Amino acid sequence: MNRFEGPGSREAKIRYLDGDFQVLSPGAFVLCSVTSEKIPLDELKYWSVGRQEAYADARISLEREIEMNPALRQRSKA
């Protein structure tokens, strides 16, 4: 980081917990694991604890969950 960069211009390193997250390395955003969209930390609402992945929105989170657990697709059609 040079003297003109602050933590606002970097990606944060996060440990995702149940209902919370821990900042391991300061930054202003994380990347969506599916779309690579920047998600500001104050807008981060969706993640997977098991996969340690962040998601930009609920739809992306659900689609990723179904992708990783195909049996869920059968339940959603019932």
Side-chain angles (χ1 to χ4, degrees), residues 2-78:
N2 67 39
R3 66 184 184 151
F4 298 109
E5 292 179 337
S9 61
R10 292 191 301 175
E11 180 180 1
K13 300 299 179 207
I14 303 291
R15 179 176 170 222
Y16 301 102
L17 308 170
D18 288 326
D20 200 5
F21 56 87
Q22 177 183 24
V23 177
L24 302 175
S25 178
F29 64 90
V30 293
L31 296 177
C32 175
S33 295
V34 176
T35 66
S36 298
E37 175 184 345
K38 288 182 179 180
I39 308 165
L41 290 186
D42 62 345
E43 295 178 19
L44 179 59
K45 297 177 187 165
Y46 306 100
W47 60 82
S48 167
V49 174
R51 289 187 294 276
Q52 291 294 292
E53 295 179 335
Y55 308 110
D57 60 37
R59 179 188 56 80
I60 293 169
S61 174
L62 176 61
E63 288 173 0
R64 178 71 167 153
E65 194 63 37
I66 290 171
E67 174 188 342
M68 299 305 291
N69 298 291
L72 294 175
R73 184 175 305 281
Q74 298 305 321
R75 289 189 214 163
S76 67
K77 291 180 179 178

